Amino acid sequence: MQRESVAVVTGSSSGNGFETSLLLAKNRFYTYATMRKLEKSARIKEIAKKDSLPIEVLQLDVTDDKSVTDAIDVISNRQGRIDVLVNNAGYEQHGPVEELSMEEIKTQFETNFFGAVRVMKAVLPMMRKQRSGTIVNVSSIGGKIGVPLNSAYVGSKFALEGFSESMKYELEGFGIKVILIEPGAVNTNYLENSRQAQKAMNPDSPYAELSKMVSEGVRERFKETSSSCPMQVAEVILTAIKSDKPNTRYLVGNDAIAINERRKSSSDSELERWIKEGLLEQKGFINK
Ligand SMILES: NC(=O)c1ccc[n+]([C@@H]2O[C@H](COP(=O)([O-])OP(=O)(O)OC[C@H]3O[C@@H](n4cnc5c(N)ncnc54)[C@H](OP(=O)(O)O)[C@@H]3O)[C@@H](O)[C@H]2O)c1
């Protein structure tokens, strides 16, 4: 009988990670649905039990060295291998650069970028020895295009993109694949979990009006019927993992596809004009 593949997913308490863990388990991956707060595990455990899915929940906070090594050690000791890592944990830090504290920017990178790096470094020795493995890094269409008041988040995802694209070359010879997933807006707990720069909350902030306009624009995008559901992200991740020769990048959602097309077909100045028209000019913040 064919051996069951072992998958590890970070940030499985909700949204994309939750659906990805369930979908992988339904597709015969023995899945470690990891999350930083085990008190959020009741729902996934209930579904796993009801549907007899091969899911185990483990505590893993991507910002904590010990939590990451402890979780990966448990998996290596129990399974002796890890076939798939889905680096999904993340959140969005909003705010104008001037009003973001260094702490807020570092915390953003600590989760979205260094968090993913930390887990990759923990699984790589095992994947290298077994001479196979797939690492899926959940980036964003924001990993390809700058948007106002989003420098910290976009910066963390650009970093993840460049890191993944580069490491791919050194890992190929060991049979390890690296894949980027680039969703547009997805209806998860993402907006509720996003953080606002503390200083920008002050109504006297010179950026208060801009912040209000941009956040209204973002909320509208999430309301649009074109935004994706987390199951779509999970399905794209599964397709990528199952592919013998996966693409480097997979877009998810019509909005991500449209933005990517626009990015490919535009010069920098054309792209900047398009972003301004979409997010700022309509609201009268800047003159045409
Ligand atoms: N939703 C979108 O529109 C969208 C678009 C593009 C990319 N993405 C990316 O998709 C990924 C998942 O986001 P989502 O949309 O599913 O949002 P979500 O519902 O807010 O889920 C985020 C997950 O990340 C976890 N997390 C945050 N910090 C963590 C840490 N230090 N250690 C471990 N887990 C941590 C959260 O855990 P807690 O429950 O403990 O907070 C939660 O499980 C993120 O990387 C995000 O950037 C989302």
Side-chain angles (χ1 to χ4, degrees):
M1 203 180 112
Q2 216 189 343
R3 179 189 56 77
E4 205 172 35
S5 296
V6 177
V8 184
V9 182
T10 67
S12 296
S13 66
S14 73
N16 300 332
F18 179 87
E19 294 297 346
T20 301
S21 286
L22 287 174
L23 189 66
L24 291 181
K26 282 177 192 159
N27 282 272
R28 296 185 38 77
F29 286 85
Y30 193 94
T31 303
Y32 286 90
T34 72
M35 57 192 74
R36 61 177 166 171
K37 295 174 191 154
L38 287 179
E39 59 271 28
K40 293 192 176 180
S41 64
R43 177 103 183 96
I44 203 163
K45 280 184 178 162
E46 188 192 324
I47 299 172
K49 191 172 173 201
K50 181 169 73 61
D51 296 346
S52 303
L53 297 175
I55 290 188
E56 267 188 67
V57 174
L58 280 184
Q59 196 277 341
L60 191 160
D61 181 336
V62 299
T63 65
D64 179 340
D65 285 335
K66 185 168 172 351
S67 165
V68 171
T69 49
D70 283 357
I72 300 303
D73 283 352
V74 166
I75 301 168
S76 335
N77 291 336
R78 285 188 196 159
Q79 303 290 342
R81 62 182 300 113
I82 293 174
D83 299 285
V84 172
L85 164 65
V86 181
N87 261 320
N88 161 77
Y91 72 94
E92 181 167 331
Q93 173 69 64
H94 293 283
V97 172
E98 188 184 342
E99 300 208 324
L100 282 167
S101 67
M102 277 312 291
E103 203 47 43
E104 285 170 324
I105 298 170
K106 283 184 184 172
T107 306
Q108 173 75 106
F109 273 73
E110 196 54 56
T111 302
N112 291 13
F113 177 64
F114 290 113
V117 173
R118 190 172 280 113
V119 188
M120 287 192 277
K121 283 185 67 63
V123 304
L124 274 175
M126 172 157 279
M127 286 188 173
R128 181 179 44 73
K129 275 185 212 133
Q130 71 199 23
R131 296 193 78 82
S132 69
T134 302
I135 296 173
V136 178
N137 287 331
V138 179
S139 173
S140 165
I141 191 61
K144 280 189 154 163
I145 186 166
V147 276
L149 304 177
N150 224 355
S151 319
Y153 178 75
V154 163
S156 72
K157 294 295 189 183
F158 265 60
L160 186 61
E161 294 257 341
F163 203 87
S164 306
E165 201 176 299
S166 302
M167 68 189 280
K168 211 174 139 65
Y169 295 102
E170 68 205 35
L171 296 174
E172 208 172 50
F174 298 106
I176 302 169
K177 298 168 193 157
V178 183
I179 300 164
L180 283 156
I181 306 293
E182 299 174 330
V186 189
N187 278 315
T188 60
N189 292 337
Y190 184 73
L191 270 189
E192 293 73 38
N193 288 337
S194 66
R195 301 179 197 174
Q196 192 57 254
Q198 285 308 305
K199 269 180 92 178
M201 311 286 257
N202 185 340
D204 295 334
S205 158
Y207 300 93
E209 199 189 344
L210 175 64
S211 299
K212 190 165 167 284
M213 280 169 194
V214 172
S215 77
E216 277 170 12
V218 170
R219 279 182 192 278
E220 273 164 32
R221 264 188 57 211
F222 273 83
K223 268 192 230 149
E224 282 169 11
T225 46
S226 62
S227 66
S228 308
C229 64
M231 191 59 193
Q232 281 171 265
V233 177
E235 276 163 3
V236 171
I237 291 175
L238 179 67
T239 302
I241 291 170
K242 282 168 83 177
S243 168
D244 285 338
K245 287 195 174 147
N247 301 335
T248 302
R249 294 179 165 82
Y250 290 81
L251 297 157
V252 188
N254 291 335
D255 55 344
I257 293 167
I259 293 169
N260 190 53
E261 281 309 309
R262 176 67 70 147
R263 178 183 166 276
K264 281 199 299 194
S265 63
S266 307
S267 65
D268 285 348
S269 55
E270 285 165 343
L271 200 61
E272 281 164 26
R273 199 159 50 243
W274 183 67
I275 294 282
K276 286 181 193 169
E277 278 167 10
L279 280 173
L280 307 177
E281 282 172 4
Q282 274 175 12
K283 311 264 178 187
F285 188 77
I286 54 164
N287 297 324
K288 288 193 186 193

